Structure formats: C-alpha cells, structure tokens
Amino acid sequence: MIAAVYFLPVIACLVLHLAFGYNGDRTTYMWILLAGEATVAAAHKLAYSRRTNSTEYLGSLVTGIFYEEPWTELTTHIETRTDRNGRTYTVRKIRHHHHSEIFYFTTTTGKTFNTGEQFFCDVRDQWQLPRHSDRWTGCNIRGGVRYGCHYSIGDMTPEQFDTPKYWIPITETNSYKNKIRCSNSIFKFEKISSEQAKAIGLFDYPDIYGYDAPCILPGEFELPFSVDSMFRRFNARYAPEVQMRLYILLFPADKGIAISEMQRAYWQGGNKNELVVCIGLTAESDIAWARAFSWADEQTVEADIAQWLMKHRRLDWQEFHNWLTTRIADWRRKEFADFDYINVTLPLSSFLLILALSILENALAIYLAVKP
C-alpha cells in the first residue's frame, strides 16, 4: 500500500506536463521527482522507526566522577572594515566566553552524564579514594590554565571493588529495533490499556529517579531499603555480565498466577534483555506462586527460579540474591535480529498521513513550477 505513494511524484510530473502544458527544462522535473521521493522516504522511515522502536533499560556502575572549575575561553575573530576613503582593513578582536563549573560522571558502558555538586560529593565521600588533580593549559584559556579534579574506580583495591557499598548503580536507556511490537503472528499479545492495567493491578515500568530505577516493584508490600539497594546493585554489577535487566514484581497471592501472563501481555513480552520474575505473596509474605518470563530461547533459568521460590516459601531476599548470582551465567539474551523476517506494515493512520504529506508537497511543487 505504501509503495503506491512513491509514484505520486511521477504523477505530479505528468499533471504538470499534460494538464498545465509546462514545457520547461528537464531540471524542474528532476527536482520534483527527487524532492517528492525524498519526502515520502523520510516520512516512511520516521513512521517505520516509531512503529518498531523500543527502549530497553541497562544497568551500569559509576566508574569516575569529575569536577571542572569555571573558566573563560578566548576566541579570536577577524573583522574586515572600510574607512572613509574606501580602503579596507582588518581588526582582530578577542571575545570572552564564560564556562560555568561542571560536575559529571562516567559509567561502565562508557557514557558520560552531567550531574550536580551533591551527587559528586556523595560519591566522593562514599568511595574515600585518592583525589586526582587535573590541569589544562592553552592559549585559548584566560590566564593560560584551568583546573579540575576527579576520582576513579580504578584506584579501588580488588577487595573494595568486590564490596557492594562502593557500587553506585545507574540505569541507562537504549533504543533498539523491536519488530515484535507490530507482529500479527504468535507473538501478538492481548492489548491492555494503561487504565485497564491500573484496575487489574499491573505494573508500569518504573521511572528513573536519581540516575537509577528499582529492580523490585513491591506494589502494596513494604520493601526494606537494604533489599531494594541490594537488587539495584545486582542489576548494575552482575546482570550486565549477561546483558540482563532483572525485574521482580510482587503481587497479592489472591490475584492468581494468571496475572503474570497479563503482566507479560501488558509489557508486550518485555524488552529483549529483561528477565521478569512475578511472585504472589500472602498477607504474611509467604510465597503462594511464582513465575518468570523472558525472550530467552532456553527457559531453564526461568523454570529454576520458579522452582527455587516454591521450595522457599518464606522468602529470604539475601539467600535468593546469592542463589541468583550463581545462576545468571546460564542465561542467554534473545537476539532480536532473529525476528527480522517479520514484515512490518504501517497502520492506516500512518499511511494516510504520509499520503497527505506527499500530496501537499507535490501540489506545492506544481504551483511553484507554473506560477508567473
């Protein structure tokens, strides 16, 4: 259906020649064709991207914190002027650009994030590592030099690096192509609106707050801060080793295990790197049921998690954490390139929007060609 829209620029050229009797040079026709095809291609690509784009969440650790003092950058500009006698001459001007102080940090994924003084100080005090002084020189710096400092995780001893209190968890986002979102095959999930999900008691993805997002979504259950921190660090330290993002969702036991399938449908199966563990808890916090799901080809780890939880009805979070760290090495993330065979069709609304845009563009091109 979308292929027909690519012929509209050709039709526009025929209309211009036959209906308006335009006998201009071939360059005009060429530009109408190029501009028309480019417009359709750009709109098609944007609609395709919106249809297949998904956002996954990645765990990482802070590897370094940095501070740079405010400084003034000098830039040279040459202006050409003319005097009263008509002679030209040049004037050399120095402009001053002020740069405020900045704080930023790096992560194990190699990304850099700007932050504030409070975060910098909190990490510095938590790490208690040697301070490295930074110094930059250059003719473009007012005074010739500027200063800063940084602290690096590379200064940690092996014992410190293996100590969780030194781990600063970060949640990052990454966009990827997910053709399953527009599949009408066996991967098609039941559509559940946000209003329906709220009424049922399903979870939305947690927001990133303070550079991190939780691993455990407790719902109506209370979760100790120490447990929340422990599993946040799990997602930052252990899960990335197998490209995993763990979520643990706590449901009231009376919701029944069927709600885990509804949660899976609401999240459209989850992102490619996610391992989602659903647990039904009684009022006494005993485990009544458990289920885990992901896109992994081999569901061994998922089955083992459910079995382990059912054997330990009185959940010990530390014990579960320790056991899980020994099992994730067997988990393999699904390669979504395996789904490239899925044919992506645009919805009618996207097709009509592209069609209208192409018609307007070609109409404008004809008008510009024939106007006096």
Side-chain angles (χ1 to χ4, degrees):
M1 189 165 59
I2 191 67
V5 184
Y6 282 90
F7 287 98
L8 286 181
V10 177
I11 296 174
C13 290
L14 292 175
V15 170
L16 181 62
H17 178 70
L18 299 176
F20 292 92
Y22 181 77
N23 294 313
D25 57 21
R26 294 181 179 180
T27 303
T28 300
Y29 290 105
M30 181 187 70
W31 281 112
I32 290 176
L33 287 172
L34 289 177
E37 296 295 342
T39 299
V40 175
H44 188 192
K45 182 178 180 180
L46 179 61
Y48 178 90
S49 177
R50 288 174 59 88
R51 180 98 165 126
T52 60
N53 187 67
S54 286
T55 299
E56 63 179 346
Y57 299 90
L58 311 175
S60 62
L61 293 172
V62 175
T63 57
I65 51 173
F66 302 80
Y67 167 66
E68 296 181 13
E69 293 182 355
W71 62 289
T72 300
E73 181 182 8
L74 306 179
T75 58
T76 303
H77 296 267
I78 306 298
E79 293 183 0
T80 301
R81 296 182 179 180
T82 305
D83 62 16
R84 65 181 63 184
N85 297 319
R87 291 176 295 185
T88 59
Y89 63 98
T90 59
V91 176
R92 181 173 177 268
K93 284 192 170 183
I94 304 296
R95 294 180 181 175
H96 296 70
H97 302 276
H98 178 71
H99 296 268
S100 302
E101 66 177 4
I102 59 171
F103 299 87
Y104 57 96
F105 63 88
T106 55
T107 69
T108 46
T109 62
K111 292 185 179 180
T112 299
F113 298 88
N114 290 329
T115 186
E117 182 177 4
Q118 186 62 55
F119 183 83
F120 177 89
C121 293
D122 289 344
V123 176
R124 178 199 62 193
D125 296 342
Q126 186 169 337
W127 279 356
Q128 293 292 307
L129 294 175
R131 178 183 186 273
H132 294 271
S133 296
D134 298 317
R135 184 174 181 267
W136 298 271
T137 59
C139 59
N140 66 325
I141 302 173
R142 185 177 181 179
V145 63
R146 63 186 184 92
Y147 300 95
C149 68
H150 73 273
Y151 299 82
S152 173
I153 200 173
D155 293 322
M156 289 185 182
T157 64
E159 292 75 17
Q160 286 177 310
F161 186 74
D162 288 333
T163 304
K165 75 173 185 178
Y166 293 106
W167 303 344
I168 312 298
I170 299 295
T171 297
E172 304 175 19
T173 59
N174 177 60
S175 296
Y176 70 99
K177 184 172 67 174
N178 182 2
K179 285 190 172 184
I180 293 176
R181 291 185 57 192
C182 41
S183 171
N184 291 316
S185 63
I186 60 174
F187 302 116
K188 187 175 180 62
F189 293 95
E190 175 188 358
K191 294 293 184 181
I192 300 177
S193 67
S194 56
E195 293 77 13
Q196 290 173 319
K198 186 176 181 180
I200 296 170
L202 303 180
F203 291 95
D204 289 308
Y205 280 104
D207 294 328
I208 297 176
Y209 180 77
Y211 307 110
D212 194 26
C215 167
I216 304 176
L217 307 186
E220 63 185 48
F221 298 95
E222 291 188 7
L223 187 70
F225 175 78
S226 59
V227 174
D228 177 64
S229 300
M230 178 169 56
F231 278 89
R232 284 175 184 258
R233 288 167 173 155
F234 176 94
N235 265 342
R237 174 67 175 85
Y238 299 111
E241 294 178 354
V242 291
Q243 300 180 348
M244 175 199 290
R245 178 73 178 182
L246 175 69
Y247 284 110
I248 301 175
L249 315 182
L250 305 184
F251 295 94
D254 58 10
K255 293 284 186 179
I257 196 172
I259 198 171
S260 64
E261 185 59 34
M262 300 177 74
Q263 181 67 53
R264 183 168 180 258
Y266 183 50
W267 280 6
Q268 295 292 291
N271 285 304
K272 65 180 182 180
N273 67 331
E274 290 173 3
L275 171 60
V276 183
V277 180
C278 300
I279 303 175
L281 294 179
T282 66
E284 295 76 26
S285 295
D286 291 332
I287 298 176
W289 53 263
R291 186 201 172 194
F293 62 83
S294 74
W295 284 105
D297 289 323
E298 295 291 335
Q299 294 285 308
T300 305
V301 174
E302 289 78 356
D304 289 349
I305 289 174
Q307 290 176 9
W308 190 94
L309 290 170
M310 294 309 297
K311 289 179 181 179
H312 300 77
R313 298 295 183 118
R314 175 62 67 173
L315 180 57
D316 184 319
W317 286 110
Q318 183 66 62
E319 187 179 0
F320 179 50
H321 173 276
N322 295 343
W323 176 83
L324 200 55
T325 57
T326 67
R327 291 294 290 115
I328 62 170
D330 297 325
W331 189 81
R332 297 291 182 270
R333 176 179 67 82
K334 175 68 176 178
E335 293 294 339
F336 267 37
D338 295 345
F339 297 120
D340 282 348
Y341 68 88
I342 295 177
N343 183 38
V344 178
T345 57
L346 297 181
L348 180 61
S349 57
S350 296
F351 169 75
L352 293 177
L353 184 60
I354 296 173
L355 177 63
L357 181 64
S358 180
I359 291 174
L360 288 174
E361 188 278 331
N362 284 290
L364 177 61
I366 293 174
Y367 169 76
L368 294 176
V370 302
K371 76 173 185 177

